[in-house]
Amino acid sequence: MYKAITRSFLATFVRGGTSNGLIIKRSILSKDETKWQPILSSAMGSPDPSGRQLNGMGSGISSTSKICVISTSEREDADVEYTFIQVGIKVGDLDMAGNCGNMSSAVGPVAWDEGMIEKKEIEGGEATVRMYNTNTNKTVHSTFSIDDESGKYNPTGDYSIDGVPGHASRITMSFLDPAGAKTGKALPTGNPIDELRLQDGSSIKASLVDVANPGVFILASDVGIPGDVTPDALGADSATMERLEQIRRAGAAMMCLDPDVQSVPKIVLISKPKSGDKGVNIVCRALSMQQAHKAAPLTLASNLGAACRMPGTLPAMTAVNAEGRDSVVIAHASGKLEVGSVMEDGKIISALLHRTARVLMKGDVFYTLHTND
C-alpha cells in the first residue's frame, strides 16, 4: 500500500552571499549519509520535473537549492566542520562533490549563534571561526562582526555586494591552501592550456584549473558568445548550452573527475572587459548545474582570480591590467566581484573574498517520505 509520511527537522534558512539555503546540524540527521537523500530533497521541493520546487524551500535555480550540514570539529585546526550539498532540482539527487563559497559565508555566523564555538577572543568587534569543509578537505577562516551587547553575529553594516540589494556587515573568507581541492593540483594536467576533443569531433582550448573548486575556463569568443551575454539569453540558446556541457564533460574527464557529476567542474566563459568597464580586469559568465548562473559561483570566482596569476593560462592572457596585482576585479552577470590571492614562490597560500550573510528564518522544515508498504 502506498503511504506518505510527513515529518520535520530543525533548520536555519539563510542567505549566504548570492545564494540561499538551509543550514542543518549534523546531529539531527542519520549518521548514514546514504539516508539523507529522500529527506533533504523533499525539504527542498525535489524532485520536480517542472523545475520550480514549489513544494519545498528551493526556488528552482541552482543558487537557491543548497544545504550545509554543520557540526563541531575535533580537528586541531578547525572549530566546526561542514558538508555542502547541492540538491538536484528536477531529479532530487544530492551532489556533495564540491564546496560553495557563498553558502560557506553563512556557516561561521550560524555556528557562532548556535553556541557551537568555544569562547573565542573578539578583536575589534570581530571573531574568526576556523571551518573545515569535508567536500574539499580544505580549511576556511571566516571573520565576521559581533554585536557588543548580545555577543551574537551582527549582520548590519555598510558593506554591499553586487547581486544582493542593500547593505550588511562584511564577512571575510580566507580559503587556506586552496589549490587542488578535488584533484590535488592547481593545474591537474600540468598544462596551462589543454585542447579538449568533443563528441561532435571538434576541439576547443581550455584552461583546467583546480583552486577552491575545479573549473573549465574557455574563451567566450571560441563558442561564438558575447562576453557580456545575459544569463537568460545564454540559457535560452539550447545548442550552445549543449555544446558547453560537452566541453564541461570533456574537461572533467581530462581532470580525472566524473563527467556525470554536475557540480564539479563548472564551466566559465571569459572575455576581456570593454573600454567602459573601468577597474574591471576580466569578464566571466558561469554555468552551474546546466544553468546559466545569475552572478558567479564564489569558489569559481576565487579560482578565476588565482588563474589570472598563473602564467600561460587563458585567464592570465585574457585579464587586463592584472599583472602584479594581489587581487582582480571580475565582472559577472550581476555586477562586479573583487577576489584576492596570496602567493609565495608560485604557490597559492590563500584565496581571499568578501561576502555578506543574513539569517532569514529558523524553525521546523517539513518533508514527506513515500513508501509502498
Side-chain angles (χ1 to χ4, degrees):
M1 178 188 297
Y2 172 81
K3 290 183 180 179
I5 303 171
T6 298
R7 295 175 180 167
S8 68
F9 58 80
L10 289 172
T12 304
F13 186 54
V14 302
R15 175 189 63 77
T18 54
S19 296
N20 65 38
L22 297 175
I23 294 184
I24 308 167
K25 289 185 178 180
R26 181 177 282 268
S27 58
I28 291 175
L29 300 172
S30 170
K31 293 182 179 180
D32 184 356
E33 294 183 3
T34 63
K35 296 181 179 180
W36 291 2
Q37 189 276 331
I39 297 170
L40 300 184
S41 62
S42 174
M44 296 304 291
S46 296
D48 184 353
S50 70
R52 300 178 68 188
Q53 292 181 310
L54 285 177
N55 206 33
M57 299 295 292
S59 55
I61 58 176
S62 64
S63 57
T64 62
S65 187
K66 300 183 174 185
I67 295 173
C68 286
V69 178
I70 65 175
S71 64
T72 57
S73 178
E74 295 182 358
R75 297 175 57 93
E76 292 185 359
D77 61 349
D79 302 304
V80 294
E81 298 184 9
Y82 71 103
T83 300
F84 168 69
I85 303 169
Q86 181 76 57
V87 181
I89 296 168
K90 293 186 176 182
V91 179
D93 54 318
L94 304 186
D95 190 332
M96 294 182 272
N99 189 17
C100 171
N102 279 300
M103 283 296 290
S104 296
S105 66
V107 170
V110 169
W112 179 277
D113 284 356
E114 290 292 327
M116 299 175 65
I117 312 297
E118 290 187 10
K119 188 174 181 180
K120 298 177 71 69
E121 185 175 350
I122 299 173
E123 297 182 0
E126 293 185 326
T128 297
V129 171
R130 304 169 304 161
M131 311 184 304
Y132 180 76
N133 175 248
T134 63
N135 307 81
T136 58
N137 297 318
K138 296 289 185 178
T139 302
V140 184
H141 288 183
S142 175
T143 301
F144 48 87
S145 297
I146 299 297
D147 181 75
D148 290 337
E149 295 184 3
S150 67
K152 299 286 188 178
Y153 164 61
N154 178 17
T156 60
D158 57 6
Y159 189 74
S160 65
I161 59 175
D162 288 336
V164 179
H167 296 77
S169 63
R170 187 178 73 176
I171 298 172
T172 300
M173 307 285 292
S174 180
F175 294 78
L176 306 185
D177 187 24
K182 295 299 292 184
T183 66
K185 297 180 180 179
L187 296 174
T189 66
N191 305 318
I193 298 177
D194 288 287
E195 186 167 327
L196 305 181
R197 298 194 178 278
L198 309 182
Q199 293 178 351
D200 60 10
S202 64
S203 62
I204 190 170
K205 294 185 183 300
S207 287
L208 309 177
V209 186
D210 182 7
V211 176
N213 250 352
V216 178
F217 297 98
I218 63 171
L219 299 178
S221 58
D222 282 352
V223 285
I225 296 175
D228 59 355
V229 64
T230 66
D232 288 343
L234 178 56
D237 187 344
S238 58
T240 298
M241 290 292 286
E242 182 177 345
R243 179 170 173 78
L244 291 174
E245 174 59 11
Q246 282 192 38
I247 295 169
R248 190 199 68 81
R249 293 179 66 87
M254 190 167 282
M255 298 169 88
C256 296
L257 297 172
D258 184 355
D260 291 332
V261 174
Q262 285 294 316
S263 63
V264 293
K266 289 180 172 61
I267 187 167
V268 182
L269 293 78
I270 58 173
S271 61
K272 292 182 180 295
K274 294 183 178 180
S275 57
D277 293 337
K278 293 184 178 180
V280 174
N281 302 112
I282 194 167
V283 178
C284 84
R285 293 294 184 265
L287 271 66
S288 177
M289 308 297 289
Q290 297 192 47
Q291 291 183 337
H293 204 282
K294 301 293 184 181
L298 198 60
T299 50
L300 263 293
S302 176
N303 191 343
L304 177 55
C308 286
R309 302 186 65 188
M310 297 180 186
T313 65
L314 291 177
M317 293 190 292
T318 302
V320 174
N321 299 324
E323 188 174 353
R325 290 174 55 93
D326 291 332
S327 64
V328 297
V329 176
I330 300 169
H332 54 78
S334 295
K336 301 174 184 177
L337 171 66
E338 183 174 7
V339 297
S341 54
V342 177
M343 302 187 74
E344 293 181 4
D345 300 324
K347 181 181 178 181
I348 306 169
I349 303 301
S350 65
L352 191 69
L353 319 110
H354 301 299
R355 295 280 86 183
T356 64
R358 189 167 78 93
V359 171
L360 304 175
M361 185 168 54
K362 295 175 67 174
D364 289 317
V365 175
F366 291 87
Y367 63 94
T368 302
L369 297 178
H370 302 277
T371 68
N372 291 317
D373 295 337

